[in-house]
Amino acid sequence: MKYQSQQVAYAYFVCAMALFAVQVLGGLTIGWIYVQPNFLAETFPFHIIRMIHTNALIVWLLLGFFGAAYFMVPEESEREIWSVKLAYIQLALMMVGTLGAVGSYLMGIHGGREFLEQPLWVKFGILVAALIFLFNISMTVLAGRKTAVTGVLLMGLWLLSLLWVFAFINPDNLSLDKMYWWFVVHLWVEATWELVMAAILAFLLLKLTGVDREVIEKWLYVIVATALFTGILGTGHHFYWIGLPGYWQWIGTIFGTLEIVPFFLMMSFAFIMVWKGRRNHPNKAALLWSLGSATIAFFGAGVWGVLHNMHGVNFYSHGTQITAAHGHLAFYGAYVAMNLAIITYAMPLLKGREPYNQVLNMGSFWLMTGGMAFMTFTLTFAGVIQTHMQRVLGDYYMEVQDGLALFYVMRFVSGIAVVVGALLFIYSILVVRRREVVAPGAANPAPAKSDPVPGE
Amino acid sequence: MAEFLTKSRARNIFYGGSIFFVVVFLALTVQSHRYVVSTSTVGMPLSDAVVHGKHVWERNSCINCHTLHGEGAYFAPELGNVMTRWAVQDDPEGAYEMMDGWIEAQPSGIEGRRQMPYFELTEEDKRGLAEFLRWADQTDTQGWPPNDAG
């Protein structure tokens, strides 16, 4: 850690990890309700726990992005953060808002637009927190060295904050409501968040492989260009069946299909940079998460997205378990794994130690990734059967669901693997064990024992 | 690609292209907004009851179990065409009666079956909800869903 104010990131990452635990435990609970539908039905019904599951996810990913920005920007700009105090105030605001939202969900107070259920005061709190963040980080960047990494990161964060305005716009006309709702939901995860993801990936590859900045940043611009060129009009693949004009079917199909391009490029980018690498960095776990994230994002967001976003297919598959399968793997690969990559990279530096718990951390990668892959396959199979029975044969929803019970049991089991993997990750990040559980070989720069870095 | 595509060229393509696509998207959004208001949702007036029903729908977060026009939580049936399924799309009074009967019968308490919670709704709420779902059902959704099963 070169700059004292990077320490802010530590608090952000710890809070993010706490909400990560809440998110996966909430997910496991509703996974169990699919298997045993009477569970908690009278006290905390499905819809309440699902809100906590999705909201905790979104907030912890954002906290991770904020933390990543506070970690990356000082190094990129070559100066301290403009105000450390503001950064902590922002975090406090986010946490008060989140806990306030969870508390009100448990009491049955919530809005009714999916993912945007937060009470109005929480929405304003998020807005204020975002403005504080943008001000703080922009002041830092403007005063210092300007790089493509900070430029793209900032553009992503500015645009996603700007789009949050649509969380406040809720027309009485349902079709308009849905159209503007996607301005937050789609243009976050399939456009602006990709900018943040690509910037973090570029930063990590810069540090881990030591490849020339010129090469990395050129790739970065090409990736984010394809992300926005496809992602903006790709919004059309959500506009097929909600009362909007028919031309969206072709715009959405063409640009939606092309949305796989930035993910393919990110995957290629990651592997080629490692191939051209000039440095054998000791933090192998961070490298695994970086490569893993780019790869799983390609499959989850890219392949599973194209699988069902062409209108001829989507006419039948829309709103089935296929969507759920895609949503889970896409979020995991693109945003969960990239957050865990930067956390894995940054935490030893923030603690002033050499990389620690590398083996446990990499174990958690395979547990979580294996679990998510299994979950995605079972939900995809369930979705294909559901599509055929319900949309082709015309069987009623609940009859079809009863026929899918086995898949939901398998999904629950894979969920256990994910939760165990997540808890193992949190343990390996927060609790420093001095010795690795498996000693590295002689050619591996990863340390067998983690000592404090001298002079830090 | 190395010589032709320099970093600054890549950056200019990124900014220039993005602005182009934003402009195209905004133009299409304006057109779509007009289309919704003037064409696809005009089969039934957006009455006070419909708006009230939308608020009931939101206050009780129906979307976190059900889907509406295919968007939502996939845990409970599609409701964008439920009034057609109940055969009361053109019968406001019948729609209310079905809605009232359904809401009051929850939860079923049947072991091993997904439970819809009991929501305490007034008659005005239930009438509004029925009207809201009838309004959603009349929307021109390009022929979706493929059949009445939703």
Side-chain angles (χ1 to χ4, degrees):
Chain A
M1 202 176 68
K2 290 195 193 116
Y3 297 90
Q4 210 49 48
S5 54
Q6 284 177 292
Q7 202 62 45
V8 174
Y10 186 84
Y12 275 81
F13 290 153
V14 169
C15 290
M17 288 299 91
L19 290 176
F20 181 32
V22 171
Q23 180 230 327
V24 291
L25 289 170
L28 192 67
T29 311
I30 45 181
W32 180 247
I33 295 176
Y34 263 93
V35 177
Q36 178 39 260
N38 306 82
F39 183 63
L40 289 182
E42 309 272 322
T43 40
F44 297 119
F46 182 90
H47 66 286
I48 300 290
I49 309 175
R50 182 176 187 266
M51 266 180 247
I52 294 171
H53 176 57
T54 55
N55 282 228
L57 168 70
I58 296 165
V59 176
W60 91 252
L61 293 176
L62 286 173
L63 288 179
F65 289 161
F66 291 144
Y70 283 126
F71 182 82
M72 289 158 57
V73 165
E75 278 189 30
E76 290 290 296
S77 305
E78 297 179 331
R79 56 190 17 55
E80 299 287 350
I81 290 165
W82 191 75
S83 165
V84 170
K85 201 168 154 194
L86 270 184
Y88 283 118
I89 292 173
Q90 182 210 342
L91 178 63
L93 257 173
M94 290 291 293
M95 288 311 286
V96 168
T98 307
L99 296 177
V102 170
S104 45
Y105 295 167
L106 291 175
M107 291 189 299
I109 302 165
H110 44 68
R113 294 168 96 201
E114 197 185 4
F115 312 132
L116 303 179
E117 299 91 349
Q118 307 82 22
L120 196 60
W121 70 269
V122 175
K123 285 200 177 82
F124 274 111
I126 295 172
L127 186 67
V128 172
L131 291 174
I132 292 175
F133 170 79
L134 292 173
F135 176 72
N136 202 3
I137 218 80
S138 300
M139 291 303 280
T140 314
V141 169
L142 286 175
R145 181 177 67 144
K146 283 138 196 96
T147 67
V149 172
T150 50
V152 169
L153 180 73
L154 233 85
M155 188 174 166
L157 291 163
W158 267 97
L159 290 176
L160 82 85
S161 303
L162 202 67
L163 288 165
W164 180 246
V165 170
F166 288 97
F168 298 89
I169 297 172
N170 182 9
D172 289 334
N173 183 308
L174 178 69
S175 292
L176 293 181
D177 166 2
K178 282 175 174 293
M179 181 171 81
Y180 291 115
W181 179 80
W182 283 114
F183 278 46
V184 191
V185 177
H186 170 91
L187 290 177
W188 268 24
V189 299
E190 295 177 64
T192 52
W193 283 31
E194 282 182 47
L195 267 52
V196 178
M197 177 194 174
I200 296 174
L201 179 64
F203 177 83
L204 284 168
L205 293 172
L206 203 59
K207 300 289 174 183
L208 295 172
T209 68
V211 170
D212 210 43
R213 180 180 282 275
E214 280 296 301
V215 178
I216 297 241
E217 294 195 330
K218 186 162 73 179
W219 269 91
L220 176 61
Y221 278 126
V222 172
I223 289 167
V224 293
T226 57
L228 292 193
F229 295 0
T230 62
I232 292 170
L233 288 181
T235 316
H237 71 240
H238 304 289
F239 287 175
Y240 298 158
W241 328 116
I242 59 173
L244 299 191
Y247 56 71
W248 285 112
Q249 292 178 18
W250 282 106
I251 295 174
T253 295
I254 293 166
F255 287 90
T257 305
L258 291 173
E259 276 185 41
I260 198 170
V261 172
F263 288 105
F264 184 78
L265 288 180
M266 269 192 268
M267 182 174 66
S268 314
F269 173 48
F271 281 91
I272 293 174
M273 290 309 110
V274 171
W275 177 245
K276 292 166 82 86
R278 300 192 302 197
R279 182 185 297 164
N280 194 0
H281 196 282
N283 197 333
K284 295 295 171 197
L287 188 62
L288 176 63
W289 278 108
S290 305
L291 290 170
S293 172
T295 307
I296 306 154
F298 169 68
F299 283 97
V303 176
W304 255 257
V306 172
L307 189 71
H308 67 135
N309 72 9
M310 288 171 278
H311 71 266
V313 177
N314 195 259
F315 182 69
Y316 295 99
S317 68
H318 181 49
T320 63
Q321 293 298 323
I322 293 176
T323 319
H326 160 63
H328 279 87
L329 198 63
F331 260 92
Y332 172 71
Y335 302 122
V336 171
M338 191 53 72
N339 261 302
L340 301 186
I342 186 77
I343 290 172
T344 299
Y345 173 75
M347 271 307 210
L349 297 167
L350 291 168
K351 283 178 186 272
R353 301 186 75 97
E354 291 174 41
Y356 52 84
N357 298 344
Q358 294 275 294
V359 177
L360 290 180
N361 187 317
M362 289 190 278
S364 80
F365 170 87
W366 290 111
L367 253 177
M368 265 189 270
T369 303
M372 289 309 296
F374 196 94
M375 184 183 299
T376 304
F377 300 144
T378 51
L379 290 180
T380 305
F381 293 138
V384 171
I385 293 173
Q386 181 188 5
T387 301
H388 185 71
M389 291 175 74
Q390 190 179 322
R391 297 285 164 69
V392 179
L393 301 180
D395 293 345
Y396 283 111
Y397 178 89
M398 281 312 299
E399 294 164 24
V400 176
Q401 291 296 313
D402 288 341
L404 301 176
L406 179 64
F407 294 102
Y408 294 133
V409 174
M410 293 199 286
R411 189 265 298 271
F412 177 74
V413 174
S414 65
I416 293 174
V418 175
V419 170
V420 172
L423 297 178
L424 180 61
F425 179 87
I426 294 169
Y427 171 82
S428 76
I429 278 300
L430 294 182
V431 182
V432 181
R433 289 161 54 104
R434 215 166 142 254
R435 283 177 186 284
E436 286 296 336
V437 291
V438 179
N444 194 337
K449 284 190 302 184
S450 173
D451 293 315
V453 176
E456 282 280 355
Chain B
M1 136 170 161
E3 295 76 31
F4 171 74
L5 191 66
T6 59
K7 190 170 102 182
S8 65
R9 273 198 184 139
R11 187 190 58 215
N12 294 342
I13 291 170
F14 166 58
Y15 285 117
S18 297
I19 291 167
F20 170 77
F21 283 104
V22 167
V23 170
V24 172
F25 183 69
L26 286 179
L28 291 174
T29 300
V30 171
Q31 203 279 334
S32 296
H33 186 117
R34 288 199 185 133
Y35 173 85
V36 168
V37 176
S38 68
T39 310
S40 67
T41 64
V42 290
M44 198 177 134
L46 191 56
S47 65
D48 290 345
V50 174
V51 174
H52 180 74
K54 186 167 185 280
H55 293 155
V56 173
W57 168 268
E58 290 170 356
R59 199 168 59 238
N60 295 288
S61 195
C62 309
I63 200 79
N64 268 298
C65 287
H66 292 279
T67 51
L68 185 59
H69 298 336
E71 295 166 2
Y74 329 119
F75 184 67
E78 164 66 30
L79 296 184
N81 67 339
V82 68
M83 290 299 165
T84 301
R85 208 153 57 230
W86 283 352
V88 289
Q89 172 59 9
D90 300 315
D91 174 9
E93 200 54 36
Y96 161 70
E97 281 166 18
M98 285 292 283
M99 180 61 73
D100 182 50
W102 181 264
I103 294 286
E104 297 306 322
Q106 306 307 320
S108 73
I110 299 170
E111 196 59 34
R113 190 148 177 98
R114 294 183 194 173
Q115 298 295 303
M116 177 164 158
Y118 176 69
F119 292 101
E120 213 173 300
L121 303 181
T122 64
E123 183 182 332
E124 191 198 2
D125 290 344
K126 283 176 273 193
R127 280 189 189 277
L129 199 52
E131 287 304 284
F132 170 64
L133 290 174
R134 285 207 313 123
W135 191 92
D137 206 339
Q138 59 83 36
T139 303
D140 175 5
T141 53
Q142 307 284 333
W144 196 89
N147 57 53
D148 289 351

